[in-house]
Amino acid sequence: MHKKCPVCGQDFIIEPGFYFGAAYVSYAINVAILITITVLNIFVIKLSISTALWTFIPLILLATPPIYRLSRSIWIHIFVKKEE
């Protein structure tokens, strides 16, 4: 991620350990994706549970960088007010 926002100049390095809470946001996003994919695979595509879970692994590995950035963005938006 950038050290500062290119638009508003917000410093993204607020304090050491600030983004540790973003791991919880990332976990929630990953669980939502897992549940959605598993339900779709089992009830719509009619795959077995093990096959449904094996389809989740490559997807989540590919989606890790965007989910990481998204979770950090959500976390900073929770605590930093936008100046107008």
Side-chain angles (χ1 to χ4, degrees):
M1 290 189 68
H2 300 288
K3 296 208 183 286
K4 290 189 177 213
C5 176
V7 177
C8 68
Q10 169 67 44
D11 186 11
F12 288 142
I13 303 173
I14 297 173
E15 63 185 39
F18 175 77
Y19 289 106
F20 182 72
Y24 295 107
V25 176
S26 177
Y27 178 75
I29 293 170
N30 284 321
V31 167
I33 292 171
L34 171 67
I35 290 171
T36 303
I37 290 173
T38 304
V39 167
L40 286 174
N41 281 336
I42 292 172
F43 296 113
V44 177
I45 303 174
K46 307 288 187 196
L47 295 175
S48 68
I49 292 176
S50 63
T51 306
L53 291 175
W54 278 108
T55 59
F56 174 74
I57 293 171
L59 176 73
I60 209 64
L61 288 175
L62 292 172
T64 296
I67 290 173
Y68 173 71
R69 290 178 68 113
L70 176 66
S71 65
R72 285 176 59 121
S73 177
I74 291 170
W75 190 252
I76 199 168
H77 278 85
I78 291 172
F79 292 103
V80 177
K81 302 283 186 201
K82 180 180 176 185
E83 294 181 17
E84 295 182 32

